[in-house]
Amino acid sequence: MRARQTIVEAVVFLVLACVVGFAFNSQRSDGLEITRDYFPPVNKVPADGAGAAPAGGSVRDRLARLEGAAPDHGFRVVSLQDTFDYCEQADSSIVFIDARDDAHFQKCHIPNAIQFDYYHPERYIDQVCDFALDAEVVIIYCNGGACEDSLLTARYLTEEIDDPLASDIVYVFEGGIQAWYHADYECEPEDCEP
Amino acid sequence: MNAPTPEPVAGDASAETARRSTAWSVAVLAARLIVGGLLIYVSIGKLRDPVAFLKVVKLYELLPVHWNVLLNSIAVIVPWVELLGGIILILGLKLCVSASVLRLSEHTRAVTPGIGLRGTALVILLMLVGFTAAIGLRTWRIVQTEGTPVMEVEFECGCGTGVDIIWIKLLENGGLILLSLLIVLSRSYGSGRLFLPPASQLPQPPPPAAKNH
């Protein structure tokens, strides 16, 4: 009888926690979308000619000549040095997208990067589309290391939005803000630390 | 001639029982405070940043790829199990629903539906066992794939304490499991209270039996 009572109490507690949890999540602005697949597999087939060297000296041409293109996820990767070079150019045809949340972005980011929190895309999609749709190159980064948010963002922007970006203009800076910061490159705000 | 064996005084055994019961109550109370306090502490960080906790849960790779509803639900529910569970453990709350209100059958009325300390502790216990097993499995995978020595494996386990050295974390979880088990199995009346009952409510020794001459 005592065991049965304990089990009943356990079930009631669990139901209560579920009800409170879902109710609270539905009311908060940064809650999770229960039915959304936040981690779809990123197995994109690379665009034809990935890593090839087309003629011409445009930004895309130079990036297209990079070695080591077409890793497992299929998006082109860009090195720390090249990321720095293109950031220095301050070319409006190159757009940097920071795929991290508000707190991390505001704390420290690559100069002139625009934010896109992959987990709350509705807040940022308009701004990203304004800048990125006319860009020749879109470089996406996140924290670096084991962080997959830059890949997930690249996939999202090239597949899920109404006006997707062309996959051959999207590049992933795998080193992320950590590699950028530890290379002593300038960050915004000044003297910040990721 | 042998000296008569002194008759045992009935009060001695009862006093001993009362002492053991009090000691047991103190132990259970301490277990409730430790487990409950820790649960509340770790739940706060998860409630503040549900996305971060979701990412940590995903790293365990325990669910098939497209079971996103279950994955997201775990990230939403677990912090509340911890927070509510911690509060119930510390305060010793008990909330019962009258069987007559629920129009239950005679058979079902023998069990009173509601929230109670032992049931909550049972959920916490099962959750801790599950978490510990998941941490152990992920550690084993790391050892197998990366060749890292077991004693050097460290990662963010989702416990709200950042990156942990895992063998220490497993020991800590083992201790919490034992404390939770203590609460679940406790028979002490003190296990339902936040404070010890007054002395007048301790078991009183029965009156000594009258001697026949």
Side-chain angles (χ1 to χ4, degrees):
Chain A
M1 185 59 63
R2 186 159 154 259
R4 198 190 306 178
Q5 179 69 40
T6 302
I7 291 170
V8 168
E9 289 175 358
V11 171
V12 172
F13 169 69
L14 208 49
V15 169
L16 173 70
C18 289
V19 169
V20 172
F22 285 125
F24 186 78
N25 182 71
S26 68
Q27 295 302 309
R28 62 187 302 176
S29 59
D30 57 347
L32 299 176
E33 290 180 50
I34 299 298
T35 56
R36 179 179 168 190
D37 186 357
Y38 285 97
F39 308 103
V42 184
N43 295 315
K44 195 163 178 53
V45 175
D48 289 340
S58 72
V59 167
R60 282 183 62 189
D61 293 337
R62 180 167 169 188
L63 281 171
R65 291 188 206 113
L66 293 176
E67 295 296 323
D72 291 347
H73 51 71
F75 289 101
R76 291 188 176 92
V77 296
V78 60
S79 69
L80 173 63
Q81 184 60 51
D82 280 309
T83 304
F84 174 75
D85 290 342
Y86 292 112
C87 182
E88 286 285 282
Q89 286 187 11
D91 190 330
S92 60
S93 65
I94 306 171
V95 173
F96 285 84
I97 294 180
D98 187 317
R100 299 177 299 154
D101 60 28
D102 291 347
H104 289 96
F105 176 79
Q106 288 164 11
K107 195 177 177 189
C108 194
H109 56 266
I110 291 176
N112 300 315
I114 57 175
Q115 185 192 2
F116 182 82
D117 183 352
Y118 166 75
Y119 297 92
H120 301 286
E122 67 284 352
R123 299 180 195 169
Y124 307 94
I125 191 64
D126 290 339
Q127 178 186 226
V128 166
C129 288
D130 286 345
F131 282 94
L133 285 176
D134 295 328
E136 289 189 20
V137 170
V138 175
I139 298 176
I140 305 174
Y141 72 93
C142 58
N143 198 51
C147 180
E148 296 181 322
D149 291 345
S150 54
L151 288 176
L152 293 169
T153 298
R155 182 198 163 277
Y156 184 88
L157 294 177
T158 55
E159 291 184 19
E160 289 196 34
I161 58 177
D162 292 337
D163 221 341
L165 302 179
S167 57
D168 58 352
I169 70 166
V170 173
Y171 295 80
V172 172
F173 171 36
E174 292 186 324
I177 189 65
Q178 292 294 337
W180 183 274
Y181 174 78
H182 286 103
D184 286 330
Y185 293 151
E186 185 185 343
C187 296
E188 284 180 351
E190 207 172 317
D191 296 329
C192 64
E193 188 178 334
Chain B
M1 187 174 181
N2 293 331
T5 306
E7 287 184 11
V9 178
D12 288 346
S14 296
E16 179 62 24
T17 302
R19 273 196 296 274
R20 283 184 197 164
S21 188
T22 302
W24 189 248
S25 290
V26 172
V28 172
L29 181 61
R32 284 169 47 205
L33 294 177
I34 292 170
V35 177
L38 204 61
L39 286 175
I40 293 174
Y41 172 74
V42 299
S43 72
I44 291 172
K46 294 171 189 170
L47 286 170
R48 258 196 223 142
D49 195 349
V51 169
F53 183 54
L54 174 68
K55 290 183 192 179
V56 171
V57 174
K58 188 256 177 185
L59 284 175
Y60 281 90
E61 297 180 349
L62 293 174
L63 297 175
V65 174
H66 294 295
W67 287 31
N68 42 288
V69 173
L70 182 57
L71 177 67
N72 298 342
S73 298
I74 289 172
V76 166
I77 293 168
V78 164
W80 283 101
V81 170
E82 292 175 341
L83 180 64
L84 295 176
I87 292 172
I88 291 172
L89 286 182
I90 288 177
L91 297 183
L93 292 177
K94 190 169 182 69
L95 178 67
C96 297
V97 179
S98 166
S100 62
V101 171
L102 296 181
R103 299 176 183 274
L104 297 175
S105 66
E106 276 301 318
H107 175 70
T108 317
R109 281 183 189 178
V111 173
T112 307
I115 296 170
L117 196 58
R118 287 197 187 88
T120 302
L122 178 61
V123 173
I124 300 300
L125 172 66
L126 294 174
M127 189 177 70
L128 283 169
V129 169
F131 285 173
T132 306
I135 292 172
L137 182 63
R138 187 174 167 191
T139 303
W140 179 80
R141 280 189 196 142
I142 291 173
V143 170
Q144 293 294 309
T145 57
E146 299 177 17
T148 309
V150 171
M151 305 300 274
E152 293 178 18
V153 173
E154 54 183 38
F155 53 81
E156 187 173 353
C157 64
C159 309
T161 52
V163 175
D164 292 308
I165 299 174
I166 292 306
W167 71 268
I168 296 176
K169 175 56 62 178
L170 289 174
L171 284 180
E172 288 174 358
N173 277 17
L176 290 175
I177 288 171
L178 290 176
L179 291 176
S180 301
L181 195 60
L182 181 70
I183 302 169
V184 174
L185 297 178
S186 170
R187 290 177 176 274
S188 169
Y189 59 78
S191 66
R193 299 166 188 267
L194 179 59
F195 302 103
L196 291 176
S200 60
Q201 294 186 23
L202 289 174
Q204 298 299 317
K211 290 184 181 179
N212 295 322
H213 294 284

